[in-house]
Structure formats: C-alpha cells, structure tokens
Amino acid sequence: MEDLELRRKAVAELGRELRSLMETVARTETPTEDLQELAGEVQRLEARFTGRRRERSEIPGVDVFPFGLRMYSPATGHGSAFAPPLEIEETEDGLVGRCALGVAHEGPPGYAHGGMSAMLLDELMGWACAAKGLPAMTIALDVRYQRPVPVEMPLLLRARVTGIEGRKITVSGSVVPEDDPQTILVAAEGRFVAPDLDRARSLFPGAKGYQN
Ligand SMILES: CCCCC/C=C\C/C=C\C/C=C\C/C=C\CCCC(=O)SCCNC(=O)CCNC(=O)[C@H](O)C(C)(C)COP(=O)(O)OP(=O)(O)OC[C@H]1O[C@@H](n2cnc3c(N)ncnc32)[C@H](O)[C@@H]1OP(=O)(O)O
C-alpha cells in the first residue's frame, strides 16, 4: 500500500499551491490576453490528473471519517484550495481554530464574506460535537455578525458544546481577532443532531465503518 503520510503530504502541498493560485487570481491585474492564455494552461494542467476519479459518496483514502481528518473540507482541508485552512486544537473549554482569510474569501472589500465565517464556525462546532464522541450534522445555525472580519488578520475561532440531550447537541461559537480576543466579530449558536446508526449508514454509504 502506498505510504498514507506521503500522500497526505502531497495532497497538502498541492492544496497550498492551489490556494496561493486562487489568491493570486483574486488579486491580479495581469493583462487580459495573458488571462486568456493562462485559462488554457490551467485547462491543460487539469488534464494531467489521471487515474480513477472518486465516486460521489466515496470517502477519500487520505481521510479518517467521521472522527478525524477531512483533507478536502472547504473549511479545514489542507488539500482544499478553498479552505483557509482552519487549524484546530482541543482545549479544556472546547475547540479553538486558527486561520487568516484571504482576498479570495472576500465579501465586502477588505472583509471576509459572511458565508466564510458561518462555514468555518459550522465546521468547528461540528468537530466540537465529534470531540464529545457524537459526530453530528447541523440542523440550525444562528450567526450574528457583530463586526466585519478583516481579511489577512490572524483569527481565533472557538466552539463549545453547551448541552447534550440524547442525540441533540447545542454548541456556541465565536470569531475574534487573535490579538484582541475580547472583541467578538461573529457569534453563533448551533443545534446539531448525531444521526443514529441506520441513518448514518444510509447517508454515508461510503463510510465503511458503518456498513454491515
Ligand atoms: C454514529 C453516526 C455518525 C454519523 C456521522 C455524522 C456526521 C459526520 C459528519 C461530519 C464529520 C464530523 C465532524 C463534523 C465536521 C463538519 C461539520 C459540518 C456540518 C455540516 O455541514 S452538516 C450539513 C448540513 N446539515 C444537514 O444536511 C442536515 C440535514 N438534516 C438531516 O439529514 C436530518 O435532520 C438528520 C440526519 C440530521 C437527523 O435526522 P434523524 O432521522 O437521524 O433524526 P430524527 O428525525 O430522529 O430527529 C432526532 C431529533 O432531532 C430533531 N431534529 C432532527 N432534524 C431536525 C431538523 N432539521 N430541525 C429541527 N429538529 C430536528 C427531531 O425533532 C428529534 O427531536 P426529538 O427526539 O426531540 O423529537
């Protein structure tokens, strides 16, 4: 079997380069004819991804699902061009995530798109459920945008499970500047449900651990 760590490293390296490319594209003032030529080059590059293409519900071989790694997650995945990516650490008071967003994640000029903050919090809050042994799906997310989130600013995101009632979990979350953690930029309250085994089997047919 191919070395998994080596493959994860390669996936992360490719992700890093793609992220950098996305940021360059979002900021470039390159002449129009060069853009046209570059589109053709990117298309040729894409044709070099050979080999089997993963099925829709197939879990990537580099992942650990549902408790571990999601390498192509648009929030935390080191293999994703779209992810900041969010780095997660477990603390006594829940999970803490660190990242900085880029111009590619912009909504209002100079500030993050609100959907980015919502996505990052949603994911971190989901991982907070998994950290309690209950991998769960979001059923409701209430996001309060208190201050705009500047891009290129180191951020701290927090997620804490506030209640567990059977398979239903409530979680709170926030986004703050790393150097000014008292200032809440975004606050969120979420409700999650951990699917029971039958539901998990039908929702995630590619997750071998759940199959008979
Ligand atoms: C051992 C199983 C493990 C399975 C793995 C699960 C998840 C793994 C996922 C990720 C990996 C881990 C870390 C997380 C990382 C990222 C997080 C990303 C978060 C997301 O990006 S996630 C995408 C958006 N999210 C959805 O796509 C959910 C759509 N949704 C559904 O697919 C169903 O909703 C489901 C399956 C969640 C529950 O369905 P179900 O059949 O298992 O549950 P059931 O109906 O029995 O409800 C039980 C109690 O929850 C109440 N309840 C249920 N659903 C409700 C709703 N929608 N609104 C209000 N209350 C609701 C009922 O009222 C009842 O309450 P009561 O008991 O008091 O009556």
Side-chain angles (χ1 to χ4, degrees):
M1 200 179 96
E2 193 185 8
D3 185 330
L4 202 50
E5 286 314 311
L6 195 67
R7 186 155 181 92
R8 284 185 181 138
K9 204 163 158 255
V11 166
E13 271 169 26
L14 182 59
R16 193 181 58 231
E17 294 310 322
L18 289 173
R19 265 192 300 285
S20 167
L21 184 63
M22 288 233 315
E23 192 65 10
T24 298
V25 167
R27 300 185 91 132
T28 192
E29 293 297 340
T30 296
T32 308
E33 58 272 24
D34 290 351
L35 291 185
Q36 289 163 335
E37 207 177 294
L38 283 161
E41 279 190 39
V42 172
Q43 196 180 43
R44 282 190 287 281
L45 196 62
E46 197 183 340
R48 293 194 49 206
F49 288 81
T50 55
R52 199 176 64 83
R53 190 184 159 100
R54 187 157 57 82
E55 297 297 325
R56 187 185 75 93
S57 61
E58 191 180 333
I59 312 289
V62 287
D63 278 10
V64 182
F65 181 86
F67 286 101
L69 198 58
R70 296 282 285 153
M71 281 212 77
Y72 299 103
S73 154
T76 54
H78 282 259
S80 165
F82 193 67
L86 189 62
E87 303 282 355
I88 302 180
E89 184 192 326
E90 197 166 351
T91 73
E92 271 175 20
D93 200 28
L95 300 184
V96 173
R98 282 186 172 76
C99 70
L101 295 170
V103 167
H105 302 123
E106 214 175 52
Y111 299 100
H113 194 292
M116 285 302 301
S117 307
M119 179 184 69
L120 293 170
L121 282 170
D122 185 22
E123 173 116 357
L124 189 66
M125 290 158 83
W127 285 115
C129 298
K132 295 275 182 200
L134 290 167
M137 296 175 82
T138 323
I139 58 165
L141 187 65
D142 179 18
V143 184
R144 304 289 159 113
Y145 297 98
Q146 296 180 191
R147 301 271 183 282
V149 176
V151 297
E152 298 185 327
M153 173 189 267
L155 302 169
L156 276 188
L157 289 89
R158 298 200 186 98
R160 190 168 62 87
V161 169
T162 53
I164 299 176
E165 198 185 303
R167 293 193 288 119
K168 292 190 290 184
I169 308 144
T170 50
V171 188
S172 67
S174 62
V175 181
V176 300
E178 190 166 19
D179 67 0
D180 180 17
Q182 302 311 316
T183 301
I184 295 183
L185 306 176
V186 186
E189 299 294 329
R191 287 191 292 146
F192 291 74
V193 170
D196 63 24
L197 199 55
D198 282 347
R199 180 54 74 99
R201 279 181 181 142
S202 72
L203 283 175
F204 312 118
K208 296 198 173 62
Y210 298 136
Q211 308 311 316
N212 289 314

